[in-house]
Amino acid sequence: MGLLTRKELMESSNAFSLAQQQLREAAATFGIEADLVEVLAACKRSVEVSIPVTMDDGSINVFTGYRVIHNNARGPSKGGIRYHPSVTCDSTKALAMWMTWKCALMGLPFGGAKGGVTCDPHALSLGELERLTRRFTTEIVNEIGPEKDIPAPDVGTNPAVMAWIFDTYSMNQGHSVLGVVTGKPLAVGGSLGREEATGHGALFCLQEALTRLDRTVAGTRVAIQGFGNVGSVLARLLVEQGATVVAISDSTGGIHNAEGINIAGALAHKAAGGRVSDFPGGERITNDELLALDCDVLAPCALEHVITGANAGAVKASLVLEGANGPTTPEGDAVLNDRGIVVLPDVLANAGGVVVSYFEWVQGLQEYFWKEEEVNARLQAIVTRAFAETWALHERDATSMRNAAYALGVGRVAEATMIRGLYP
Ligand code: NAD
């Protein structure tokens, strides 16, 4: 398949074609052999399963689930499980491919995978969610395992879901297998620092970028879209470092205050079940308005494809920190690049989660657990090394941080594939 034009890609709105296109662009820029690109463009294994679940009212609903392994040239595959109505085989393949490059960019001994169930988890009771999770795990029990493929949380799943996956897999094996899944609760082999890991990683990336631009986190004005795991932890850590968080939002909308939002108060309000848009201390704004606010750093930490060709021209921040996966479309990316806005891409900016997942896997295999300071120090070392490598390539080749990050990730997987050789 040749390169699609941007327009064809957007019209196809096929996330996997988009991910393949990004791979081919990185490969073309950095001279990776065409045959090898075709190997990397394909997913190694995709499993689609049906998941019959007895609902609380006695009826039976049949859900569809997927587990996709994109590549395992560098080690067992790693990637989250998403529960969301928009989950499809294609979107899961795209997310699996992005995991491959992210793990390679971080230098982790993992390949990439992703899984998901097409469902609305908020519409399910706790019992229905547990039965769905246990049946899904049983359907993919031969695909996953600590030496094969290791799931983790993603949108719509959490440590409780990971505990059910761990328990179901372990019951099938006849003994506890800590390394089968990461993002587990601390009581069943989770890692200290895992819940804050993605926000921490994003903060480390921002600190590295600002240092290189002769700026500091203290005094920086940040607008954050999404106040879930990634966005809320990032907001808290930024305030601790002296930054001013001028806007936050959730799916219901957001609030803006140029003097800074009381993040501790907003966290307590959210924890009590409140909506961000109802939190006092700022004027109400929409999620679209948040993207165009006057600020230094814009951090999209919610959904895919929010910065597009249509609204990227209105972004006033000089730096975009991608906490979410895929928040910028290729068209939006081109506009940001043309305007000289530095984009710290998702594979770099939100990789803290998978790095600490790697630590959790290592701790589980060794059955020896580290202190939180140890986890955070090792996380910082890995993220800052990956940042430095990406920044050096970005400067050397006058290319975007996204291209540089892709080139490093794809190049490492290509090298491992070449060295291993094609079997048989
Ligand atoms: P989450 O479910 O904890 O939070 C998502 C947040 O986005 C919530 O505040 C939600 O209200 C908000 N939101 C939903 N729809 C929205 C909309 N239309 N506009 C604005 N906000 C909206 O999820 P999360 O774990 O924080 O993940 C967020 C993003 O970060 C996803 O793209 C995910 O893939 C990515 N990510 C997460 C991790 C992790 O460790 N949790 C790691 C890497 C990447």
Side-chain angles (χ1 to χ4, degrees):
M1 185 182 120
L3 290 180
L4 297 176
T5 63
R6 297 258 180 230
K7 188 158 176 291
E8 283 167 338
L9 256 177
M10 293 320 292
E11 280 168 3
S12 78
S13 70
N14 176 326
F16 188 47
S17 299
L18 182 73
Q20 288 176 316
Q21 167 91 353
Q22 290 171 328
L23 161 65
R24 290 190 167 97
E25 281 180 5
T29 313
F30 295 94
I32 296 174
E33 223 179 281
D35 281 352
L36 197 49
V37 176
E38 289 316 301
V39 174
L40 302 180
C43 287
K44 182 178 168 58
R45 191 195 309 273
S46 308
V47 176
E48 176 177 326
V49 298
S50 70
I51 311 163
V53 176
T54 305
M55 308 303 281
D56 290 347
D57 65 3
S59 66
I60 293 173
N61 263 7
V62 183
F63 297 88
T64 304
Y66 306 94
R67 186 71 191 169
V68 173
I69 295 172
H70 167 249
N71 188 287
N72 58 6
R74 289 173 48 88
S77 49
K78 189 90 191 72
I81 289 186
R82 181 173 289 200
Y83 286 177
H84 196 270
S86 69
V87 168
T88 62
C89 190
D90 265 342
S91 63
T92 310
K93 283 181 171 179
L95 288 160
M97 186 185 271
W98 289 330
M99 281 305 297
T100 302
W101 315 141
K102 192 186 295 184
C103 291
L105 177 63
M106 291 297 126
L108 307 180
F110 286 141
K114 205 82 181 186
V117 177
T118 317
C119 68
D120 178 2
H122 303 296
L124 299 175
S125 72
L126 203 62
E128 290 166 344
L129 204 58
E130 177 172 355
R131 291 193 288 282
L132 178 144
T133 300
R134 289 190 181 277
R135 182 62 187 252
F136 177 48
T137 306
T138 306
E139 295 294 345
I140 60 168
V141 78
N142 292 321
E143 316 305 322
I144 61 175
E147 285 92 24
K148 272 199 232 176
D149 176 32
I150 306 126
D154 192 70
V155 175
T157 57
N158 56 22
V161 172
M162 299 305 115
W164 292 324
I165 296 176
F166 157 68
D167 185 67
T168 306
Y169 184 87
S170 297
M171 293 306 286
N172 274 275
Q173 301 297 312
H175 59 95
S176 287
V177 185
L178 286 178
V180 69
V181 67
T182 59
K184 300 185 293 296
L186 280 178
V188 288
S191 174
L192 289 166
R194 173 63 185 88
E195 231 170 315
E196 299 83 11
T198 307
H200 253 138
L203 175 73
F204 295 145
C205 280
L206 182 61
Q207 281 171 329
E208 293 298 314
L210 291 176
T211 302
R212 284 164 176 79
L213 299 169
D214 282 331
R215 287 154 55 183
T216 58
V217 172
T220 294
R221 295 165 309 137
V222 190
I224 302 177
Q225 184 179 70
F227 204 59
N229 175 295
V230 180
S232 69
V233 172
L234 178 63
R236 178 170 61 78
L237 297 174
L238 281 168
V239 169
E240 283 171 15
Q241 297 296 314
T244 305
V245 175
V246 296
I248 54 172
S249 72
D250 62 15
S251 58
T252 67
I255 53 165
H256 171 232
N257 183 343
E259 303 303 314
I261 288 163
N262 167 8
I263 295 300
L267 285 167
H269 171 78
K270 236 347 214 181
R275 305 174 337 163
V276 166
S277 51
D278 294 334
F279 182 64
E283 91 252 18
R284 283 192 186 193
I285 49 165
T286 65
N287 268 298
D288 284 343
E289 287 166 344
L290 183 145
L291 299 173
L293 282 177
D294 181 26
C295 61
D296 304 310
V297 175
L298 174 63
C301 298
L303 293 182
E304 284 128 68
H305 299 173
V306 291
I307 303 175
T308 66
N311 64 13
V315 169
K316 296 196 184 65
S318 56
L319 208 148
V320 173
L321 178 67
E322 292 189 338
N325 279 313
T328 311
T329 66
E331 285 181 333
D333 212 24
V335 173
L336 296 179
N337 279 326
D338 287 349
R339 296 183 55 219
I341 296 172
V342 177
V343 180
L344 302 181
D346 48 9
V347 288
L348 180 64
N350 71 29
V354 75
V355 171
V356 178
S357 269
Y358 165 56
F359 297 161
E360 181 178 331
W361 178 73
V362 169
Q363 293 169 82
L365 293 182
Q366 296 180 338
E367 308 212 12
Y368 177 76
F369 291 86
W370 310 345
K371 295 191 198 88
E372 188 162 359
E373 308 83 73
E374 216 171 331
V375 169
N376 290 338
R378 289 179 196 239
L379 169 64
Q380 184 163 16
I382 288 183
V383 170
T384 51
R385 183 186 64 198
F387 187 97
E389 290 167 343
T390 308
W391 189 270
L393 191 54
H394 150 73
E395 290 210 309
R396 192 197 75 185
D397 289 9
T399 191
S400 69
M401 284 294 279
R402 191 185 310 281
N403 273 348
Y406 259 73
L408 285 168
V410 170
R412 286 171 189 171
V413 181
E415 184 189 7
T417 306
M418 295 261 288
I419 290 171
R420 287 179 70 143
L422 271 197
Y423 178 85

